[in-house]
Amino acid sequence: MLKIDDLSLKLNNKEILKNINLNIKENKITGIIGKNASSKTSLIRCINGVYSYSGKIYFKDKLIKEYNLKDLAKKISYLPQLLKYPHILTSEILKMGRSPYTGLNERLGEEDKEIINKTIERFQIEPLLDKYLDELSGGQRQLIYFAMQIIQDADLLILDEPTSFMDINFENLILKTLKELNKLENKTIVIVMHNINKIIKYVDELVVLDNGEVSFVGSVNDCINNKVIEKVFNLKKYQFDDTIIYEE
C-alpha cells in the first residue's frame, strides 16, 4: 500500500535518514520503534510532506507528490506527535475531519453527520463538545484529535505517539480502537510508540530504526525470535507464560 524507495533526508547538512526502503502492507498494523533520536518522527514527516527528501514514496503505486491535497486526505490521515491547541470548540475540531469530503459549500451532509455522531458515541465525548480545546486536559485533547482522525475515514492512518499525555484507560481505548478499525473496517495503520512492551501486543509488523537506518522490518514474532530489540535497545527479555516484557 505504502512503498518507500531509497528515501534519504538531510537537515542542516546533517544526514537524518539513510536509504530507507519499506513496504507497508495493506490491512496490517505496522509499528515503528527506535531509540530516542532514531528519526522515527522524521520518517513520518517525510511521508506527510513536511520535509523535502530524496527518494520516492508511493501510495497504491502512485507517487504521493502526484496527489492533490484533498484527494490525499481521503487516502491518508496523520496524527502528529506535537499538536496545537487553539481556542476552538471541540465540536468544530471534529467537523474538520470531514473537510476532504464536504465540497465547495463546506456543509455537512447526512453521511458526514452520521460518521461524526457515531464517533462521538464511540468515544463517549459528548460532554466535551461545548468545551474549548485549550481548556481540556492533555489526554482529552489527544482523544479529540484522534476522534477527528477517525472521522476523516482515510484508508491509511498514521499516528505518531498517539497516547502521549493519556492515562492507561485512554491509552487502552486508543489501541483497542485501532485493532477494531483494522479488523472490522480493513484500515491500514502505522503507529510510532516508545512503549515497546505495549506495541508488540497490538501490531502485526515492526519497523526498527537505528541511527536513521532500518535495522529490521518484519513480523513481531521474527523480531522477537531474532533478538532485535535486545540488540538495538540493549534490553533484556523476560517471559512469563505468554507475556513478554523488555526491561533494562
Side-chain angles (χ1 to χ4, degrees), residues 12 29 45 94 122 140 144 161 164 175 179 202 213 235:
N12 299 321
I29 304 179
R45 288 177 176 173
L94 296 179
R122 181 179 213 161
Q140 288 174 327
I144 291 296
E161 293 292 342
S164 298
L175 295 173
K179 268 291 188 185
Y202 284 90
E213 297 181 272
L235 297 174

Side-chain angles (χ1 to χ4, degrees), residues 70 99-107:
K70 199 159 192 175
S99 59
Y101 308 91
T102 51
L104 294 175
N105 60 17
E106 297 185 350
R107 292 183 179 177

Side-chain angles (χ1 to χ4, degrees), residues 115-128:
I115 291 172
I116 292 171
N117 291 333
K118 180 181 176 182
T119 305
I120 290 169
E121 183 178 352
R122 181 179 213 161
F123 294 114
Q124 299 179 352
I125 52 178
E126 187 170 0
L128 303 179

Side-chain angles (χ1 to χ4, degrees), residues 155-166:
D155 300 320
L156 170 63
L157 285 72
I158 300 177
L159 308 97
D160 191 358
E161 293 292 342
T163 59
S164 298
F165 312 113
M166 288 188 169

Side-chain angles (χ1 to χ4, degrees), residues 70-88:
K70 199 159 192 175
D71 285 342
L72 189 61
K74 296 176 183 177
K75 308 293 185 184
I76 302 174
S77 63
Y78 169 47
L79 184 65
Q81 182 177 358
L82 299 176
L83 296 165
K84 296 180 179 180
Y85 305 125
H87 188 67
I88 184 173

